[in-house]
Amino acid sequence: MTAVTGAGSYDPATTTAGGLHGELARLEAQAELSFDEELRVLLDVGVPAPLLELGAGSGAVTRRLRAALPDLPMVSADIDTALLAHAADARVPLLGCDAVRLPLADGSVGTVLLRYVLQHVADPAAVVAEALRVLRPGGRLVVIEVDAMLWGLADPMYPEMAGVHNRMTGAQRQAGGDRLIGRKLTRLLRRAGFGDVVLRPFATTNDDRPTEAFAAHLGPERLAPLVAAGALTLPELALAADRWRRFRADPDAWVMLLGLVVAGTAPGGSAASERSTS
């Protein structure tokens, strides 16, 4: 989740407990948890070169993409240049810019990757339109997102937590974001003019990862800033902390997080021909 436009719901200093330092750690943990599954789907839908990672933030995914695809030319961009500076060790060109005003020529990019970005911007359609502008004919837009009502499954479930998590969705909406963006993505791409639009879900479970690794998504640290913002009470935060403690301590606890990958092809080429060259 990284900032790409001045009017949006993401502020790295207030996203999780611990301020910016805590958020940098959360972004690393988030990428570590699901990158393998994301990469599998990314390769399936096609990654024509060069790749523009739009909303790269701290470079948590940039570094993993560079390691997984060392021969793929790529550029990483974000409006928050202070956050983007943390991506310097990925050894890729970095662009400090707004997602709706990219300093790139028309048709100069093979793939645009938007990972956990559109849920935070006030005008997702404008970002998608700018991505289309810089994509060459047959290039690919790949969007990785969530939907708050399709987040996954947990066993045991704690029904009393539903209202707490709804507070996060509501706070993000008030700040100009949309945690229900997942269900809108295929229509968003088609309306922008993309063809060959596909949706590919991916899942991450504690069958393959330790339960503690899911703290980046399920732990109370993510909720703590909502108390200062007045969107959550201290008793509600204490409830979230207690239920997360119980869940971690349960040897039979099971969790699945669901993510969505939506990809579309820029007019003038085909997804099949582009995949063959990536």
Side-chain angles (χ1 to χ4, degrees):
M1 304 177 186
T2 54
V4 292
T5 186
S9 65
Y10 180 75
D11 179 355
T14 61
T15 293
T16 193
L20 178 59
H21 178 76
E23 177 62 357
L24 292 172
R26 190 189 72 85
L27 291 172
E28 284 294 328
Q30 180 197 69
E32 182 64 23
L33 179 66
S34 58
F35 177 76
D36 289 348
E37 286 75 17
E38 294 172 34
L39 179 64
R40 173 180 52 79
V41 183
L42 187 64
L43 294 176
D44 180 59
V45 299
V47 193
L51 167 71
L52 170 64
E53 183 192 5
L54 190 50
S58 65
V61 169
T62 311
R63 288 182 286 274
R64 288 167 173 81
L65 282 170
R66 169 57 60 224
L69 304 170
D71 297 325
L72 177 68
M74 59 183 296
V75 176
S76 293
D78 200 286
I79 196 172
D80 189 332
T81 54
L83 189 62
L84 189 62
H86 293 276
D89 60 350
R91 298 183 299 279
V92 302
L94 304 177
L95 286 177
C97 58
D98 195 312
V100 297
R101 290 184 292 274
L102 297 173
L104 299 171
D106 294 1
S108 58
V109 174
T111 300
V112 174
L113 173 63
L114 288 162
R115 180 184 182 271
Y116 300 148
V117 169
L118 292 183
Q119 64 170 283
H120 290 293
V121 302
D123 190 354
V127 177
V128 170
E130 181 68 349
L132 179 58
R133 180 187 70 79
V134 301
L135 280 168
R136 68 170 182 254
R140 296 289 271 171
L141 173 61
V142 181
V143 181
I144 300 176
E145 269 298 351
V146 296
D147 190 295
M149 292 187 68
L150 299 170
W151 68 270
L153 296 169
D155 184 26
M157 291 184 62
Y158 303 111
E160 62 272 26
M161 285 297 297
V164 173
H165 289 296
N166 285 341
R167 302 286 198 284
M168 183 189 300
T169 300
Q172 189 165 328
R173 182 174 59 250
Q174 290 183 0
D178 184 3
R179 287 186 68 80
L180 301 178
I181 191 72
R183 67 192 65 188
K184 305 169 186 177
L185 293 175
T186 55
R187 290 170 287 170
L188 185 64
L189 267 63
R190 290 191 182 102
R191 288 169 183 163
F194 285 91
D196 301 314
V197 176
V198 297
L199 185 152
R200 298 285 185 269
F202 65 92
T204 309
T205 78
N206 63 344
D207 293 323
D208 305 310
R209 303 284 195 278
T211 300
E212 185 61 36
F214 290 79
H217 293 276
L218 304 179
E221 292 80 7
R222 182 66 179 84
L223 297 168
L226 298 180
V227 176
L232 196 71
T233 67
L234 279 172
E236 287 172 323
L237 179 62
L239 174 68
D242 177 74
R243 296 304 185 267
W244 175 237
R245 178 189 59 77
R246 292 189 192 183
F247 192 84
R248 287 184 323 184
D250 186 339
D252 293 322
W254 185 81
V255 59
M256 177 189 73
L257 292 185
L258 183 68
L260 303 173
V261 177
V262 173
T265 303
S270 70
S273 63
E274 285 299 324
R275 275 198 293 267
S276 70
T277 62
S278 59

